[in-house]
Amino acid sequence: MQSAMPRRAMTRRAGRTLTVAAVATATATALLAATVSAQAAPTAPAAATAASTDKVLVIGLDGANLDRIKAANAPNLKGLMAQGLTAQSTLYAQPMAATSSGPGWSTIATGVWPDKHGVKDNSFAGKQFGTYPDFLTRIENANPSLNTYAAADWEPITSSDKGGPIFSAAIDKRLSLKGDANGYDVEDPKIAAAAADELRNQNPDAAYVYFGEIDIAGHNHGAAGQQYLDAIARSDKHVGTVLNAVTSRPTYAQENWKILVTTDHGHTDAGGHGGSSIKERGTFVLAKGAGIPAGSVRHDVRLVDVAATALDQVGVSAAGLDGVPLRSPDNDAFDTVRPNLQARVDETGIGSGVKGFTHTAPTGWSVDNSKMGTGGVTEWRGWAFATDEFWSQSQRDQRRELNVRSRDVFAVADSDEWADKSFTGTYDSTLVSPKWAVTGGTSKSLRFQTHYRQEAGQKAEVLVSYNGGTPAVVKSYTADAVAKWESIPLQVPAGATDVQVRFRYSGSNNWYWTLDNVWLA
């Protein structure tokens, strides 16, 4: 056993990683004692005067399907849902990244999507963690006085094995346990005990704790079976152990904790992930803490928001990330049509119970279909408003899954899907914004999120008119614009008092265009 090291106060020390291999001959009880002792000597929380009262704990459950958690014996996870927020969302798919652990945990840790952090699969080839570090490393870089901790039993998360680490050596303490060569010797109970000791008896300000058994059950038995539910139940007990450690802290009543629980990907009923099915792409965020209404449900939360929320909780800026803190809900006009969403009409690849499209425009918005052809698939006859869970399933593996920067409901023009049923004429539809007040002679910026796939024969244009004048083209798309934020400068003419924007898309059995969060800055 290594000698104990004192807790730091205001100075930083290098983070350290401990592995099972270092004490391989010990019994399970002795191993746990050694790992905890080797990291730091137990010190009462009150002794770490540098610590903040604003604290955050992120718990990762590998390969967990939210609908199966709801069906399992999981009182701790269900308690978090009842006491806080439940937010279900979806991932990307190839060619952005596989629905695998490497990209998933990298997205959660860094707060950016794979097109930025660079991890596309479990090889970690192309990782950009130097540019987009994990949230614990960001915390250390911004405020070294804060105490950071990470514990996991999938090596790439906290050690340099197998392409890692996702959580860098800059953080204060890392516990890294590993199983056998196949990764099936789960160390979750030891992770739970060690993390509980750290959370109860030390003074972490930001912590990440990972449990892997659910994913293993999914691979070995499938997500539809009892074994998967049993694994969720066991993992729920580990979650309870960690949560109880937080609430049993002597100083808990004076602290402001935010608890986040999330997953890196889902599982098919038969078992497995990596592909583009909605179950493989399914993720969630559960959250509890000040400002989060009990029993709340949101549709605008994305996996990248975990890191942003963790940073925000301890006073570190999340600027530059794809994620936004949970306290910053999406206020997009398109989201207001969610109550109008309908189930499929002509589509066949979407579940009959999925309500995810409407042609009812938000207040102030309209759709001009005066040049639109007739017939075609009902759902996509002119600009529609849809969710990712609905639209991306209309035809998988055509890069619809890459529309990751849209949130909740977005606008979509899809001539490819419209042409899947007999039609006449061409697809030609224009989405028209409200009239927004402007001041003549000023500069403005038209901003929106877009996902556009180009093909010869189609046209996508952004047009602007002032005071009801003739619309003028300010942007034409002639190449793919994949899941990006657009900012178009506008010079408001002298005397103008309002501006109106039109998004015109035309084609015939070509590709698609999506828009979200359209606003004038």
Side-chain angles (χ1 to χ4, degrees):
M1 182 181 298
Q2 300 175 355
S3 60
M5 293 182 64
R7 291 290 294 169
R8 63 167 185 171
M10 294 299 292
T11 58
R12 290 182 59 185
R13 56 180 169 76
R16 290 171 297 130
T17 302
L18 301 169
T19 66
V20 175
V23 284
T25 59
T27 64
T29 302
L31 172 62
L32 180 58
T35 56
V36 172
S37 177
Q39 291 178 83
T43 304
T49 56
S52 169
T53 58
D54 294 324
K55 300 178 183 293
V56 64
L57 167 63
V58 177
I59 300 174
L61 301 177
D62 202 310
N65 287 1
L66 183 59
D67 61 340
R68 300 300 281 159
I69 289 176
K70 292 178 179 179
N73 179 19
N76 294 295
L77 293 169
K78 291 177 182 178
L80 286 174
M81 296 181 210
Q83 298 160 22
L85 167 71
T86 303
Q88 191 166 11
S89 66
T90 50
L91 289 174
Y92 38 76
Q94 295 286 20
M96 181 176 285
T99 50
S100 300
S101 290
W105 292 121
S106 297
T107 298
I108 291 165
T110 63
V112 298
W113 294 108
D115 57 358
K116 289 185 179 178
H117 64 62
V119 180
K120 299 184 66 172
D121 52 38
N122 286 355
S123 74
F124 288 86
K127 62 186 177 185
Q128 300 294 321
F129 295 151
T131 304
Y132 299 102
D134 65 272
F135 65 85
L136 294 179
T137 297
R138 285 184 181 270
I139 290 170
E140 285 291 340
N141 291 340
N143 189 350
S145 68
L146 296 179
N147 299 310
T148 53
Y149 174 80
D153 54 10
W154 189 55
E155 294 98 305
I157 293 178
T158 46
S159 82
S160 58
D161 291 350
K162 299 181 181 179
I166 296 173
F167 287 93
S168 82
I171 69 177
D172 294 316
K173 288 192 288 185
R174 297 181 300 166
L175 174 62
S176 184
L177 306 185
K178 59 183 177 180
D180 63 19
N182 295 318
Y184 293 139
D185 183 14
V186 177
E187 303 284 356
D188 285 3
K190 298 170 189 176
I191 291 290
D197 179 78
E198 178 73 19
L199 290 163
R200 181 185 296 109
N201 299 317
Q202 305 301 323
N203 206 359
D205 298 296
Y208 168 86
V209 180
Y210 164 97
F211 298 114
E213 184 180 1
I214 298 173
D215 183 60
I216 293 171
H219 282 292
N220 290 345
H221 305 288
Q226 185 61 43
Q227 294 95 329
Y228 189 79
L229 294 179
D230 292 343
I232 291 174
R234 288 189 291 272
S235 296
D236 182 79
K237 291 180 180 179
H238 301 324
V239 171
T241 297
V242 172
L243 295 180
N244 288 337
V246 170
T247 56
S248 64
R249 288 170 53 80
T251 53
Y252 176 73
Q254 289 78 49
E255 295 169 344
N256 174 29
W257 280 86
K258 187 153 287 178
I259 308 295
L260 302 164
V261 180
T262 190
T263 191
D264 55 335
H265 57 73
H267 259 285
T268 65
D269 285 349
H273 56 85
S276 62
S277 73
I278 203 68
K279 289 199 173 183
E280 292 167 280
R281 294 175 58 221
T283 62
F284 63 84
V285 176
L286 310 180
K288 175 186 174 184
I292 299 176
S296 56
V297 175
R298 281 173 57 180
H299 304 282
D300 64 319
V301 176
R302 302 292 256 163
L303 212 57
V304 288
D305 298 342
V306 172
T309 301
L311 292 168
D312 182 69
Q313 175 66 9
V314 295
V316 176
S317 173
L321 301 187
D322 290 326
V324 295
L326 289 179
R327 65 176 176 81
S328 304
D330 192 29
N331 293 316
D332 177 45
F334 298 156
D335 298 345
T336 63
V337 305
R338 176 167 279 275
N340 300 318
L341 295 178
Q342 308 169 44
R344 71 186 190 195
V345 179
D346 293 329
E347 286 286 1
T348 59
I350 303 168
S352 60
V354 179
K355 292 185 176 181
F357 96 97
T358 182
H359 288 291
T360 302
T363 300
W365 289 77
S366 62
V367 175
D368 179 1
N369 282 336
S370 60
K371 298 180 181 180
M372 185 72 193
T374 60
V377 173
T378 298
E379 288 88 334
W380 316 117
R381 190 176 299 143
W383 279 97
F385 305 90
T387 65
D388 179 75
E389 293 85 350
F390 191 92
W391 179 60
S392 63
Q393 289 190 87
S394 65
Q395 184 64 57
R396 286 166 50 187
D397 299 318
Q398 292 184 338
R399 306 194 180 190
R400 290 176 179 82
E401 299 89 353
L402 276 55
N403 188 34
V404 292
R405 289 181 174 85
S406 286
R407 293 171 180 262
D408 202 357
V409 180
F410 51 88
V412 55
D414 192 333
S415 69
D416 174 68
E417 280 302 296
W418 172 70
D420 281 355
K421 186 178 178 181
S422 178
F423 65 93
T424 59
T426 61
Y427 188 109
D428 194 336
S429 182
T430 300
L431 177 64
V432 185
S433 81
K435 289 183 177 181
W436 292 314
V438 292
T439 300
T442 61
S443 296
K444 305 294 284 186
S445 178
L446 175 63
R447 299 180 183 179
F448 53 90
Q449 186 280 330
T450 190
H451 180 55
Y452 175 75
R453 190 169 183 189
Q454 169 70 19
E455 187 177 53
Q458 71 183 32
K459 183 183 292 186
E461 296 176 323
V462 182
L463 304 96
V464 170
S465 61
Y466 298 95
N467 290 4
T470 302
V473 176
V474 294
K475 174 74 176 180
S476 295
Y477 288 91
T478 57
D480 289 354
V482 179
K484 64 174 289 187
W485 280 99
E486 194 72 80
S487 181
I488 301 174
L490 302 179
Q491 187 61 46
V492 182
T497 57
D498 67 62
V499 62
Q500 191 167 42
V501 183
R502 290 168 169 82
F503 300 90
R504 182 182 178 186
Y505 174 85
S506 60
S508 182
N509 198 17
N510 296 121
W511 285 120
Y512 48 74
W513 190 16
T514 75
L515 300 165
D516 201 17
N517 290 294
V518 183
W519 60 295
L520 203 63

